[in-house]
Amino acid sequence: MTDLVHTRDDLAALLAPVAGRIAVVMTMGALHDGHRQLMRVAREQSDYVIVTIFVNPLQFGPGEDFEKYPRTLEEDLAICRAEGVQAVFAPSRDDVYPGGPPSITMHPGPLGEILEGASRPGHFSGMLTVVQKLLMLTRADVAYFGEKDFQQLALIRRMARDLELGVEIEGVPTVRESDGLALSSRNRYLSADQRVSALALSRALREGAAQSDPESVLAAAHKILADEPGVRVDYLALTGADLGAAPEEGEARLLVAARVGSTRLIDNVPLQLRKDS
């Protein structure tokens, strides 16, 4: 049975008798197989799983898709029930931010000013603020996030560590369609032709990751993207595994953000850099 609650008081009452390891999967709804995988991992590793469904206004900038972001609560509940989730917390804006927007918010620091942070000012402050609030409201011992939003995952890990939140933050590998497109709630905005164009993102990442040195990685990925006129690249970046500078050899990350039509998509892959022998 999956319990649905909408207020912080009802959530507190629901959690009062709960014993064992509590896991939270935070979402903005419009659930897909990537969210299902987060739930499955949480169920395997925890005693009690809460899914939160809240479209957070603080992380949307001017001209972004807050108003048209899909709200599909009944379909989302069916998915949560099918995955054996014990509770869904779907609060209103007033319940998350009583009294209006918070006067104190989380600052993401230098890591929040690059990549997505440079393209979407204020996004990570709003994201970290709601994550911190939901961690406290759900009393979570562990939280699961997808690696598709890799910079988000890195910032949440840093926040949990720096602020001694006492919560484990676990990343789950990106779930993809059979053709390689990373699953995203925004994929539903793509027309059939745009979806074909969007495949250039994952194709560029795969081609880049097949190379061994930083220059070749970026050149190979850039070529794939440049050859697809339906893709407008926001950034393509090669970083270290911690989003710092890319090493000459060792673990690294290749990240891309681009618009296909009016839809902004992000993706990334891990890779190993090697010096030529």
Side-chain angles (χ1 to χ4, degrees):
M1 176 180 176
T2 300
D3 292 304
L4 171 65
V5 291
H6 295 287
T7 71
R8 57 176 63 205
D9 289 341
D10 286 345
L11 178 64
L14 185 67
L15 294 177
V18 172
R21 181 177 169 88
I22 297 176
V24 63
V25 174
M26 297 183 193
T27 83
M28 294 201 298
L31 303 183
H32 50 64
D33 283 350
H35 297 112
R36 284 181 182 269
Q37 181 63 13
L38 294 175
M39 296 176 210
R40 290 167 187 168
V41 175
R43 286 280 289 142
E44 290 171 0
Q45 300 179 1
S46 308
D47 300 301
Y48 191 93
V49 178
I50 306 168
V51 170
T52 66
I53 297 176
F54 178 66
V55 184
N56 177 33
L58 294 193
Q59 65 194 71
F60 287 80
E64 294 189 337
D65 58 349
F66 174 73
E67 293 300 336
K68 72 171 186 177
Y69 196 88
R71 275 79 165 174
T72 56
L73 182 58
E74 289 306 315
E75 294 90 337
D76 295 342
L77 284 174
I79 289 173
C80 291
R81 292 184 182 113
E83 296 301 331
V85 168
Q86 284 92 339
V88 171
F89 180 45
S92 68
R93 184 189 306 202
D94 289 342
D95 221 276
V96 176
Y97 302 117
S103 57
I104 296 175
T105 58
M106 302 300 298
H107 190 280
L111 183 59
E113 296 173 357
I114 62 173
L115 303 173
E116 288 296 288
S119 298
R120 305 178 66 191
H123 167 71
F124 284 128
S125 174
M127 178 276 294
L128 290 174
T129 298
V130 79
V131 167
Q132 197 274 346
K133 289 174 73 72
L134 291 172
L135 288 174
M136 298 300 100
L137 288 170
T138 59
R139 295 172 27 200
D141 300 295
V142 58
Y144 293 86
F145 296 91
E147 290 186 357
K148 183 180 75 71
D149 297 284
F150 192 76
Q151 189 175 9
Q152 169 181 280
L153 173 61
L155 282 164
I156 294 169
R157 282 174 168 158
R158 180 68 62 86
M159 176 179 71
R161 182 170 67 248
D162 287 355
L163 300 185
E164 308 290 352
L165 297 183
V167 180
E168 298 173 32
I169 306 299
E170 297 289 344
V172 177
T174 302
V175 177
R176 299 181 180 277
E177 301 277 8
S178 59
D179 56 13
L181 185 67
L183 286 176
S184 169
S185 300
R186 290 186 168 93
N187 290 351
R188 66 185 65 198
Y189 300 154
L190 299 170
S191 69
D193 289 343
Q194 289 168 348
R195 197 183 184 289
V196 172
S197 295
L199 294 177
L201 273 69
S202 57
R203 193 163 65 248
L205 295 179
R206 287 197 306 273
E207 187 64 28
Q211 313 306 312
S212 60
D213 65 275
E215 184 175 342
S216 297
V217 168
L218 289 171
H222 271 300
K223 184 178 187 311
I224 298 292
L225 295 169
D227 288 344
E228 178 46 69
V231 172
R232 304 192 309 279
V233 176
D234 186 347
Y235 62 77
L236 175 71
L238 178 65
T239 74
D242 60 355
L243 296 183
E248 290 186 12
E249 60 180 350
E251 294 183 1
R253 208 90 191 181
L254 184 59
L255 307 98
V256 64
R259 288 192 179 275
V260 181
S262 62
T263 304
R264 189 172 185 276
L265 302 173
I266 62 173
D267 200 353
N268 70 88
V269 292
L271 67 156
Q272 285 284 333
L273 297 175
R274 304 180 303 278
K275 289 183 179 179
D276 292 334
S277 55

